[in-house]
Amino acid sequence: MKYESQKVAYWYILAALALFGIQVLGGLLAGWIYVSPNFLSELLPFNVIRMIHTNALIVWLLLGFFGAAYFLVPEESEREIWSPKLAYIQLVILLVGTLGAVGSYLVGIHGGREFLEQPLWVKFGILVAAVIFLVNISMTVLSGKRTAITNVLLMGLWLLSLLWIFAFINPENLSLDKMYWWFVVHLWVEATWELVMAAILAFLLLKLTGVDREVVEKWLYVIVATALFSGILGTGHHFYWIGLPGYWQWVGSIFSTFEVIPFFLMMSFAFVMVWKGRKNHPNKAALLWSLGSSTVAFFGAGVWGFLHTLHGVNFYSHGTQITAAHGHLAFYGAYVALNLAVFTYAMPMLRERAPYNQVLNMASFWLMTGGMAFMTFVLTFAGTIQTHMQRVVGEYYMDVQESLSVFYLMRFGAGAAVVIGALLFIYSTLVARRSEIIAPGSANPVPGE
Ligand code: HEM
Ligand code: HEM
Ligand SMILES: [Fe+2]
């Protein structure tokens, strides 16, 4: 760690890890309700647990992105963060908002739009926190050295924050409501977050493989161009059946097919950099997470996304377990694993220790990734049967659900593996062996940085 203010990232990562734990435990609870439908139905209904599961996911991923930005921007810009104090105020606002949202959900107050259920005051809090963040990080970047990585990161973070405005626009007309809702949900994960992902991945690969910056930058620009070209009009794949004009069926099918390209490029980027790189970085676990993230993102977003994105297919599969299968693997690969890659890279430095407990960390990678892959397969089988029985044969929804119970049991098992993996990750990141503490004040615990 070269700059004192990078320490800010430590607190963001801690908060993110705490919410990560809550998120996967919430998922496991929701998964158990699929097996035993009346479980907790009075005390903590499924919809509340589901909101906590999905909202905690989004908030911790954002906290992770903010933390990653506060960690990597000083190194890239070669200066301290403009105002560490503002960064801490931003974190406090986000945490108060999170507690407020969870508290509201527990007593049944929510906005009802999936992922955007937060009460209005929490939405405003998030907006204020985003503005503080943008000012802080922009001031740092603009007065420091400019690099392609910080340019792309800044662009992604600005655009994703601007899209948050659509969370406030909730028209009476259900078609328009859905249209704006997708502006946030789709244009986050399939456009602006992709830019953030590409920038963070580029930073990690630069550090871990030691390839030339010019090579990294060329890849970065191509990934950004293809992500925006495909992802913006690709939003059309959510406009098929919500009452918008029919041409969206063609626009959405064609452009969302192109969305596979940036994910394929990110995977290729990671492997080519490792192949070309000469550096033998000691933090092998961070490299595993980086390669794993881009690979699983290609399968989860690219392959499982393409599976149901053509309107002829989506007509049958829309809103079935196929969607849930894709949602889990895509979010896990692209954004969960990427965040865990940054945490694995940054935490040893932030705690002034050598990369420790790498074996446990890598075991957590395989447990989580294996669990997620199994969950995805199981839900894909369940979704295929569901699509056929319900949409082709025309059986009743609940009758079909009844016949899928064995898959839901297996999904619970896969989820348990993910939860154990997540707890192992948290343990391996936060609990270090004493003997490996680096003497305070020594320049850097990682040789060759
Ligand atoms: C890091 C890991 C995880 C990620 C990224 C994740 C992500 C998500 C997302 C995005 C949704 C909304 C899906 C949609 O609308 O199609 C969701 C719902 C859900 N997740 Fe997870 N999840 C994770 C872990 C788990 C675990 C461990 C379980 C345990 C079984 C689980 C069970 C569920 C259930 C039951 C739902 C509700 C599905 C429904 O409404 O039908 N998740 N999760
Ligand atoms: C990392 C990137 C991605 C993430 C995190 C992601 C996540 C999700 C989630 C959570 C949903 C469920 C939303 C809901 O109904 O509540 C969804 C739906 C969908 N995704 Fe993705 N996705 C990604 C990339 C892609 C890509 C690249 C494609 C196409 C090639 C794609 C195609 C679709 C389609 C067609 C649906 C609608 C499914 C339906 O009709 O029920 N996704 N995605
Ligand atoms: Fe989408």
Side-chain angles (χ1 to χ4, degrees):
M1 198 174 72
K2 298 193 182 93
Y3 298 91
E4 189 54 38
S5 55
Q6 283 177 292
K7 268 268 177 230
V8 172
Y10 179 71
W11 299 103
Y12 277 82
I13 294 175
L14 273 193
L17 283 176
L19 274 175
F20 175 39
I22 293 172
Q23 181 236 327
V24 289
L25 284 171
L28 198 62
L29 212 51
W32 182 249
I33 295 174
Y34 257 93
V35 175
S36 172
N38 287 327
F39 184 65
L40 289 184
S41 63
E42 304 275 324
L43 206 63
L44 205 57
F46 177 79
N47 71 312
V48 174
I49 296 171
R50 192 187 194 283
M51 273 189 290
I52 293 174
H53 178 54
T54 53
N55 283 232
L57 171 72
I58 302 296
V59 174
W60 89 255
L61 294 176
L62 285 172
L63 284 172
F65 287 157
F66 293 144
Y70 284 129
F71 182 83
L72 73 80
V73 164
E75 276 195 31
E76 287 289 298
S77 306
E78 296 179 0
R79 55 153 293 164
E80 296 286 353
I81 291 167
W82 185 63
S83 167
K85 193 186 277 173
L86 276 182
Y88 287 119
I89 294 175
Q90 179 205 344
L91 180 61
V92 171
I93 295 175
L94 286 171
L95 291 180
V96 171
T98 303
L99 290 179
V102 172
S104 309
Y105 298 161
L106 289 177
V107 295
I109 301 170
H110 61 82
R113 277 167 122 195
E114 190 193 359
F115 292 110
L116 308 180
E117 296 98 340
Q118 310 80 18
L120 196 60
W121 71 268
V122 175
K123 287 200 174 77
F124 269 111
I126 295 173
L127 189 66
V128 172
V131 170
I132 294 177
F133 173 76
L134 291 174
V135 169
N136 205 1
I137 219 74
S138 304
M139 292 303 283
T140 313
V141 166
L142 294 178
S143 61
K145 196 174 140 225
R146 304 283 293 275
T147 70
I149 291 177
T150 54
N151 285 346
V152 171
L153 185 68
L154 208 60
M155 182 159 95
L157 292 166
W158 266 94
L159 292 176
L160 83 83
S161 303
L162 285 176
L163 286 170
W164 182 246
I165 308 278
F166 287 106
F168 294 90
I169 308 177
N170 192 353
E172 280 291 313
N173 180 313
L174 199 56
S175 296
L176 285 178
D177 165 353
K178 280 289 175 194
M179 194 174 89
Y180 290 133
W181 181 77
W182 282 113
F183 281 4
V184 184
V185 175
H186 171 102
L187 289 177
W188 268 16
V189 298
E190 289 164 73
T192 52
W193 285 29
E194 270 183 74
L195 305 196
V196 175
M197 173 180 179
I200 294 176
L201 193 63
F203 173 80
L204 287 171
L205 292 171
L206 191 68
K207 295 287 173 181
L208 293 171
T209 69
V211 291
D212 291 340
R213 189 177 276 279
E214 295 87 80
V215 181
V216 171
E217 290 182 346
K218 278 186 198 126
W219 278 92
L220 195 51
Y221 285 129
V222 180
I223 291 167
V224 169
T226 52
L228 291 178
F229 171 77
S230 60
I232 295 172
L233 284 172
T235 320
H237 65 186
H238 303 294
F239 294 172
Y240 299 159
W241 331 115
I242 64 170
L244 295 186
Y247 54 76
W248 283 111
Q249 294 182 1
W250 287 102
V251 177
S253 293
I254 292 167
F255 282 89
S256 66
T257 298
F258 288 131
E259 284 184 42
V260 180
I261 297 170
F263 285 103
F264 181 74
L265 287 177
M266 277 194 266
M267 179 175 66
S268 313
F269 173 44
F271 281 93
V272 172
M273 292 306 101
V274 172
W275 175 49
K276 281 194 170 176
R278 270 162 247 101
K279 193 157 147 189
N280 198 4
H281 197 282
N283 197 335
K284 297 280 177 285
L287 193 61
L288 177 65
W289 279 106
S290 307
L291 289 171
S293 164
S294 54
T295 306
V296 180
F298 169 68
F299 282 98
V303 178
W304 257 260
F306 180 68
L307 191 69
H308 58 162
T309 206
L310 299 177
H311 66 261
V313 176
N314 192 266
F315 179 73
Y316 292 99
S317 67
H318 180 59
T320 61
Q321 294 298 330
I322 303 237
T323 307
H326 155 69
H328 275 89
L329 200 64
F331 256 113
Y332 172 75
Y335 303 121
V336 170
L338 183 80
N339 264 300
L340 299 184
V342 186
F343 300 173
T344 301
Y345 175 75
M347 277 307 247
M349 293 181 211
L350 291 169
R351 308 185 73 214
E352 301 190 325
R353 287 165 190 201
Y356 46 83
N357 282 353
Q358 290 205 51
V359 176
L360 283 186
N361 181 304
M362 289 194 257
S364 83
F365 170 87
W366 290 110
L367 253 177
M368 264 188 266
T369 307
M372 263 304 160
F374 194 76
M375 193 192 299
T376 305
F377 294 139
V378 168
L379 290 178
T380 305
F381 281 114
T384 308
I385 295 174
Q386 183 189 5
T387 302
H388 185 77
M389 303 290 275
Q390 200 181 307
R391 300 274 161 79
V392 181
V393 178
E395 285 191 24
Y396 287 115
Y397 177 84
M398 284 315 287
D399 293 343
V400 176
Q401 290 300 313
E402 199 79 51
S403 63
L404 297 177
S405 58
V406 64
F407 293 106
Y408 294 137
L409 195 60
M410 287 198 276
R411 189 258 297 273
F412 180 77
V418 175
V419 170
I420 295 170
L423 297 178
L424 190 60
F425 181 93
I426 294 172
Y427 173 81
S428 77
T429 310
L430 297 183
V431 187
R433 284 201 301 271
R434 282 237 148 241
S435 59
E436 289 177 343
I437 296 175
I438 297 285
S442 73
N444 202 308
V446 182
E449 268 307 294

